[in-house]
Amino acid sequence: MSVINSHQNPRLKQVRVLQARKRERSRTGLFVAEGEDLVAAAAAAGWSAEDVLVPAGLGLEGTEVDPGLLDGVSALGSGTRAIGIYPQRWLDHAVGPRCLHLHGLKDPGNVGTAIRAAHALGASCVSIGPDTADPFAPKAVRASMGSIFAVPVARSDGPATLPGVTVALVLRAGDELRADLVDPAGEDGLSLLIGAERDGLPDDVVAACDRTAHLPIDGAESLNAAMAATVALYELARTSTG
């Protein structure tokens, strides 16, 4: 197979536009995962790449690209040894028994970190709500550290389309979040809703939830949304382990 040696190559153009534009990711249903660790995570999770671009001359498996050109499309400051192009996967709807719903998180890094926490702490899916960053954006994929390939994602407008008992996590209101706050019995379980650190969940979303809960924060004014999701998921995970 010939080596890609022109920056005008259609595949390189595709990588650049998928990295830069959510609209193109939505139109094509594709996204980019950059780095050998992410490509390996995808393979371990059973995801098939549409293509994997690798530097020419190193004997790596994939489509060989002139190393300088590959570095030119890399979003990493140090360059890369692999860029995978994958089809997105979306569930038809969010599923239990423990769903994490992200509402209004505009930073893709926070979204990716929350997905990583969901993977580590046994969430069944991550629901992407209104005004939330694309979980398949390059920054989100990197922040997930490969968990985007392991945790199913779905789209949801809010509580009415989420499984089980819906619990809104808010600041200093409602019950203190505990593992026994909600009985997770039954296949639907519960859905935990997290808003952005600055704005929190909209009032109408909180009102539509079955329960309201908070984390017992005594020091800092608030927690980053991804940190709050991690702490809350840890506490809820104790339901099945403690």
Side-chain angles (χ1 to χ4, degrees):
M1 183 179 295
S2 60
V3 175
I4 294 176
N5 55 18
S6 169
H7 73 278
Q8 295 296 329
N9 180 273
R11 187 59 96 188
L12 296 184
K13 288 183 177 181
Q14 181 185 41
V15 168
R16 287 191 289 266
V17 73
L18 287 174
Q19 289 173 325
R21 300 178 188 171
K22 179 180 179 180
R23 179 179 299 178
E24 184 67 10
R25 293 192 297 273
S26 297
R27 185 187 72 82
T28 62
L30 299 173
F31 72 103
V32 170
E34 183 173 355
E36 288 179 287
D37 53 345
L38 292 183
V39 170
W47 287 52
S48 296
E50 182 175 278
D51 202 353
V52 177
L53 308 181
V54 298
L58 297 183
L60 299 176
E61 185 175 349
T63 300
E64 292 194 317
V65 182
D66 175 272
L69 293 178
L70 193 62
D71 285 347
V73 297
S74 171
L76 303 177
S78 59
T80 188
R81 285 164 56 94
I83 296 178
I85 302 171
Y86 297 90
Q88 298 178 25
R89 293 183 184 179
W90 292 91
L91 294 175
D92 292 335
H93 54 83
V95 297
R98 188 175 292 115
C99 169
L100 173 66
H101 176 76
L102 307 177
H103 200 109
L105 275 65
K106 295 180 172 60
D107 182 351
N110 276 341
V111 171
T113 301
I115 291 172
R116 185 181 181 187
H119 181 203
L121 295 167
S124 47
C125 80
V126 173
S127 167
I128 305 300
D131 300 318
T132 297
D134 180 9
F136 295 106
K139 186 177 178 182
V141 173
R142 289 196 299 273
S144 82
M145 296 298 288
S147 291
I148 188 63
F149 298 110
V151 179
V153 294
R155 298 182 181 93
S156 174
D157 290 333
T161 56
L162 294 173
V165 177
T166 51
V167 180
L169 192 69
V170 300
L171 188 64
R172 299 185 178 90
D175 300 305
E176 181 177 318
L177 186 71
R178 305 182 311 275
D180 60 353
L181 176 66
V182 176
D183 181 358
E187 62 181 21
D188 288 338
L190 65 88
S191 292
L192 177 69
L193 288 80
I194 303 282
E197 178 179 4
R198 180 181 296 274
D199 300 322
L201 291 167
D203 291 342
D204 62 327
V205 171
V206 175
C209 287
D210 298 311
R211 304 290 296 270
T212 301
H214 67 273
L215 297 175
I217 299 174
D218 294 325
E221 177 63 24
S222 63
L223 286 176
N224 166 282
M227 292 174 62
T230 303
V231 174
L233 286 171
Y234 173 79
E235 177 62 23
L236 292 175
R238 296 198 304 120
T239 301
S240 58
T241 60

